[in-house]
Amino acid sequence: MSIDKATAAHVAKLARIKVEDDALPALAQEFNTILGFIEQLNEVDVEGVEPMVSVTPMRLKRREDVVTDGNIQDEVLANAPDAREGFFAVPKVVE
Amino acid sequence: MSDLTKLTIAEARDKLRAGDVTSVELTEACISEIEAADALNAFVHKTPEIALEQASKADARISGGDAPAMCGIPLGIKDLFCTRGVPSQAASRILEGFRPEYESTVSHKLFDAGAVMLGKLNMDEFAMGSSNETSVYGNAVNPWRRGNDDTPLTPGGSSGGSAAAVAADLCLGATGTDTGGSIRQPAAFTGITGIKPTYGRCSRWGIVAFASSLDQAGPMTKDVRDAAIMLQAMCGHDPKDSTSADLAVPDFEAALTGDIKGKKIGIPKEYRMEGMPAEIEKLWADGTAMMKDAGAEIVDISLPHTKYALPAYYVIAPAEASSNLARYDGVRFGRRAKLAQGDGVTEMYEKTRAEGFGHEVQRRVMVGTYVLSAGFYDAYYNRARKVRALIKKDFDDVFAQGIDAILTPATPSAAFGLGEMSEADPVQMYLNDVFTVTVNLAGLPGISVPAGLDKQGLPLGLQLIGRPWEEADLLNTAYALESAAGYVSKPGKWW
């Protein structure tokens, strides 16, 4: 599997990271180095092996489905780059 | 006065309780050492006011006669831990200005026990790195040098600031986190002790997430006893982390008898890597002999899938990172890029993440995105999870044979020079974690203990790997190794 410039651009788009056009070939090259390293996994016989879900054989805890906090609007918004009238503010989403 | 900072946690605890020293005196001594150590770039956000306030409260508690072991002990906290009202940036530009409204469970537990926070410690950005060179704060510098050569060396990573601070006696102990070796490798590079407990021992709540199925917090300290004392205060069940283990925490310090007679210590043949430096080979052989002299039985074992641990890790960790780091979108916290006229929400995400994430973080997020993308999920991600199951089974099998602990080198080399790896491809840097990463994949406890110096005078560490939840036994084995190795070297002060 070899990653070309177009695939690198597609991955950058999926990851929502702006990558300038002239940086794409080097990025594709780095991906190929890393993926080349990962390819070793194809040597392993994984027939009949279940993919690991949890490293400890423990059931996730459950709790009552009740509200445990809230009424902390100021704290929630305190670190927002742009908060107005009790909301997170973002650029226009719909034309 | 400055000798106070050289105390171990155990020594300081005893002196505090005896009234020979106050926490304020200890804390002031650390603050002045930190002020004089900017060349190490270990403390990146200093909090002397908070420290002195906590110290005087600790002193009141100690004179009341009812103080836990960590009460009044000055610590450094890795920047990955959210600390209320104090910058918590994970060494990333994207979290510039972020001051959490909450406290991580681990730091909360430490402060509840009376520990004192001197400030936040440098690290690789989002804990992604093995040399502390991906930090937005710049490199942390190892207090150790190669003899009289003044080439600055890496303290390792990602917990590089924690390692440098403890090794240079700027604080009595520090928190670290370990996803692929980020406590144990820097501990080995700086001649200190670092333990990553079993996955689930320490709550991950409030620690900036990198790879959630691998991340664990742990202490970085001057010796094994201190690791036992500090780990005790850090772990325990937390309902806010669904993977936190609801198990009783034993008394780790009480387990330190140094008696390992009859224990079975496994020596895995797959860790004898091609091209391994002779000094590492010798250190390992010496450590094996020490365990034997202490009465342990040495058993040759095989962990056949070891070779595939790093490639599996470099699928799983980036995959989880790409998902965890999706939250940095310039909306709820941290930095938002300056937008051009007419930019919409997508441009906001793309520009914010391009300027907020450093190169290594971008690379890992994109690799993770790729291995999870439609058409590749089975070929990469699911296959890596199957290999991970086999790696864990390797360990399960040797433990079922009666092995109590496994002895390996901690790192494939001593600390290298800052910038020396800059020309190498990313895979070369990843090889630093070759001996440590299996432990994260299998969720096991692992500890790095300083065991000797190389011919350039740099510290080298050995790693012991224990059975799940048996940190007490592992710490005792490490204590026996530490006693036998008799490592007492300290870096010469140049900073």
Side-chain angles (χ1 to χ4, degrees), chain A residues 52-70:
Chain A
M52 184 186 282
V53 176
S54 163
V55 78
T56 43
M58 223 182 288
R59 225 178 112 90
L60 285 185
K61 284 256 180 192
R62 296 180 181 199
R63 64 169 179 83
E64 289 301 307
D65 185 13
V66 291
V67 175
T68 55
D69 62 8

Side-chain angles (χ1 to χ4, degrees), chain A residues 5 12 28 34 37 39 77:
Chain A
K5 209 180 126 179
I34 295 168
F37 179 62
E39 293 291 323
L77 294 175

